[in-house]
Structures are given as structure tokens and as C-alpha cells.
Amino acid sequence: MKFQVLSLIGHAPHPLTGELPSAADRLEQVLAVGEVAERLGFDAYSLGERHAGPFLSSSPSVLLGALAARTSRIRLLTGVTVVAILDPVRVAEDYATLDQLSRGRIELVVGKGAEAGHFDLFGLDEQRQWDLQKEKFELLRRLWTEEGVDWEGEFRPALRNTTTLPRPYAGPPRIWHGSATSLNSPELAARHGDPLFTANAIQPREAYAKLIAHYRRRFEEYGHDPKDARVAAGSGGLLIADTAEQAVSRYRDLYEAKVRQSFRPDLEGKAGYNTPFRTIEEAVADGPQLIGSPQQIIDKVLGFHEVYRHDLQSVTVDAFGQSTAEQIETLERFAEEIAPVLRKEAPSTLWED
């Protein structure tokens, strides 16, 4: 198994103290943790993209460029690139430039995004979100795999003999499809033989297992070799303690205050937004959150793997407002006490072939 650190770059007051760092300090924290992730041997670092809500992730390409300059080995991913609201020509140019700067370390995770508000922000019809996603992804794919592209579509002006520059560093970067609640992304990924990145962040495991099962079945039906069906899985936040009892005692107030802070009454009952795991006991026992002792977390990730058969596990250490020092301590414990066991128990050849 491979491991990634993900940040959506949330910028809300601390759920218990109300403290709010400056935007500059919060962004520096994200870059500093990225450098530590490389030092600790994590395989990838991923930054989200949000254009609504309390987040500072509206320009992930800028931040990944800064991180590319401060690292040399770790892969740099997006989580996700909201291709449905973007111009595929601009996406092709920006991320190919990053691919050159990082000498081939860029990979995209594309999706329609988790905030409906960004469609209005960019003057787009939310009802057409999946049509936007499909058309723009397929144009991006052509721009990275072809030169002299002729193209006509519904959502942007036609292209004639177009070659975007720069070209990617060593062939098209891998594109994953982010999947949270709908079969549309697994279907699109399967059709093109691309890997799937399941959110695995809020809903019960069975909801994500259904999407992955659809992806694997359709992947093979489209004529692709089933062994090439790569899957990655997110998680709903990482909190480590020495024992299960210490985890509950230490993090109860923090976890449950964050759940209350993040609750969206306007989206109650809509899959993918409000967690059904309201207490820390529920989160530890059944939620996608990785909270507990090292052994509890190992067992939970292996439980994910039994169902998902995933190659890449993503962890998030800044979901609950932890300080930079606390995030680094958490990553160190994961790298030292958890990752080696999971690499042995669930080996993967991702990024080795």
C-alpha cells in the first residue's frame, strides 16, 4: 500500500478555542507539512480545490508549484481538480507547467467538486454538472495525448489545430477520477481505463464499496485488464493516541465540536455532506475517520482494503484544527508505527511499474 497526505486547506476557527490563523500562516503550514511528508517517506501530497466555504484552496496549482520547489521526490496530486467549472485548455497548460517544474511528479484527481455553490460562482448551470464534467475531462485528455487538436463541444469555443504548451514532462500525467456519491465518476473512469479515487470521508463504508464495485465491473466490461483497475481511498481525518481509551478521552471534545461546526442544515439528508457519525465512539467504530491507537488504525485500513482492494490510502492531519507541531507528530507516528505494517500486509505496485 502507498500513502498520501491530503489537505483541503480548511480555514475555519478552531472548533474549541475559536482561534483562526492568518491566511499566510495557514498556507505556510500546508507547505511545511508537505516538506515533512516527503522527509517521512510518504508517497504523495495532495491539495484540494474549493471555491466556496471556509477554505483557502481556490488555487491549488499555485501552492503545488511552491511545494514542487521545496521538495524533490514526493508525488504532487490534486484532490480534486474541479474540471467541471474550469477551462480544460487552462488546466492542461497549468498542470503541464507544474509537471515540467516537478520533473514528472504531477497527477490529477478530477471531479465535479463537493460544493454546489461554485457552479453559480462561475456562471454555470448546476443541473448540467455531469455533462460539464464529462466534456471538459475528455477535452483535457485529448489536449495531453494529442497535438494539433480539432475539437467542438457545447461548453467552450471550438479548437482548431491546437497544441497546448508546455507539453507534459514525460507523457500525460495520470488522471484519477474522484468519486464520492454518484456512479457517474466511476463510469467515466472505467470507460477510459483510468484509476478511481474514492472519497471514503463521510458516508458508511458500504456506500463507497458500491461505487468501487461498479467501477471494477464496468472497467472489465469496457475491455480493460482488471489488474489495471487502480483504486485509492480517502479518510475522514487522522488522530492517533497510545490506546483506544486515550483516543476517546483526548479527542472527544475536539471531534464532536468539529462535527457541530461543519454541520450543514441546508444539506441534511444529502449524501456526502454531513457525517452520520456524530459521536467519537461512532467514528472510531464505524466511520471512515482514522481515530484510535496505531493497531486500531491498522485494523481499520485493512478493513477498508478487504472491501476496496485499494492501492493508495490518503490521510488528513489538519481536519480538526491541529497545530503544525501536532500534525507533524501525527505524521511521524503514522510513518513509524502504522505505514510499515500496512505496506507489508497490503503491498501494491502502484508507482513501481
Side-chain angles (χ1 to χ4, degrees):
M1 187 174 291
K2 310 300 184 185
F3 300 100
Q4 168 190 278
V5 181
L6 165 69
S7 177
L8 300 179
I9 322 182
H11 194 230
H14 190 280
L16 293 177
T17 68
E19 296 178 358
L20 183 67
S22 69
D25 287 345
R26 181 71 178 98
L27 294 174
E28 173 56 33
Q29 180 185 68
V30 169
L31 297 178
V33 172
E35 290 183 90
V36 170
E38 176 171 85
R39 175 174 61 80
L40 292 174
F42 283 84
D43 302 282
Y45 194 75
S46 177
L47 296 180
E49 179 180 334
R50 295 287 183 96
H51 297 275
F55 299 93
L56 299 177
S57 50
S58 58
S59 299
S61 60
V62 175
L63 289 167
L64 288 172
L67 192 56
R70 294 164 65 159
T71 57
S72 60
R73 177 198 58 80
I74 197 166
R75 287 170 177 81
L76 305 173
L77 274 67
T78 61
V80 302
T81 296
V82 190
V83 71
I85 63 172
L86 303 175
D87 182 349
V89 173
R90 182 81 259 186
V91 175
E93 294 172 338
D94 284 350
Y95 286 100
T97 300
L98 271 172
D99 200 41
Q100 291 287 347
L101 285 171
S102 65
R103 297 185 181 272
R105 291 188 283 140
I106 289 293
E107 297 188 12
L108 296 193
V109 183
V110 300
K112 68 170 185 63
E115 289 289 344
H118 55 224
F119 288 96
D120 284 342
L121 182 64
F122 286 87
L124 299 169
D125 182 0
E126 182 186 349
Q127 299 302 314
R128 303 293 308 280
Q129 56 185 307
W130 291 113
D131 298 324
L132 287 157
Q133 172 79 358
K134 179 178 182 295
E135 178 179 297
K136 293 186 175 189
F137 159 71
E138 290 181 344
L139 175 54
L140 171 63
R141 185 183 186 90
R142 287 193 62 191
L143 291 170
W144 269 354
T145 58
E146 302 176 30
E147 298 183 7
V149 172
D150 292 328
W151 176 89
E152 289 187 8
E154 183 178 356
F155 299 112
R156 63 148 291 133
L159 299 175
R160 294 289 177 264
N161 193 31
T162 298
T163 301
T164 55
L165 295 174
R167 305 305 292 159
Y169 178 72
R174 178 185 273 114
I175 299 179
W176 303 72
H177 294 254
S179 172
T181 60
S182 167
L183 293 175
N184 287 280
S185 287
E187 181 72 19
L188 193 60
R191 177 182 300 135
H192 290 281
D194 294 332
L196 186 75
F197 206 120
T198 183
N200 195 47
I202 293 177
Q203 299 185 86
R205 189 177 309 180
E206 294 76 16
Y208 302 110
K210 177 182 177 182
L211 301 178
I212 295 170
H214 177 86
Y215 163 71
R216 291 190 184 279
R217 176 174 61 82
R218 295 293 286 154
F219 192 95
E220 188 170 2
E221 288 175 355
Y222 277 117
H224 307 296
D225 189 331
K227 70 178 178 57
D228 295 328
R230 300 286 192 181
V231 172
S235 59
L238 174 65
L239 297 169
I240 305 173
D242 290 338
T243 67
E245 295 75 19
Q246 287 180 14
V248 170
S249 174
R250 179 177 176 183
Y251 295 122
R252 176 190 300 278
D253 291 345
L254 180 64
Y255 175 81
E256 295 178 8
K258 185 62 178 179
V259 169
R260 292 191 297 271
Q261 182 189 61
S262 303
F263 180 72
R264 294 279 301 273
D266 57 318
L267 296 171
E268 180 67 350
K270 186 173 182 180
Y273 288 93
N274 296 315
T275 178
F277 307 106
R278 304 293 173 85
T279 70
I280 194 168
E281 287 87 357
E282 292 170 336
V284 169
D286 300 311
Q289 298 80 10
L290 299 177
I291 302 174
S293 68
Q295 189 59 52
Q296 279 181 295
I297 293 170
I298 289 168
D299 291 342
K300 181 170 278 191
V301 174
L302 290 177
F304 294 158
H305 187 263
E306 183 177 0
V307 178
Y308 302 161
R309 306 199 323 266
H310 61 308
D311 297 276
L312 174 63
Q313 177 65 56
S314 184
V315 299
T316 301
V317 292
D318 61 356
F320 302 105
Q322 291 179 288
S323 68
T324 304
E326 289 171 325
Q327 291 180 42
I328 291 172
E329 178 188 2
T330 300
L331 288 181
E332 288 174 340
R333 292 202 66 175
F334 189 93
E336 294 168 6
E337 302 174 51
I338 298 172
V341 178
L342 293 173
R343 290 189 193 276
K344 180 180 179 181
E345 295 295 321
S348 170
T349 59
L350 177 67
W351 296 320
E352 294 175 7
D353 45 2

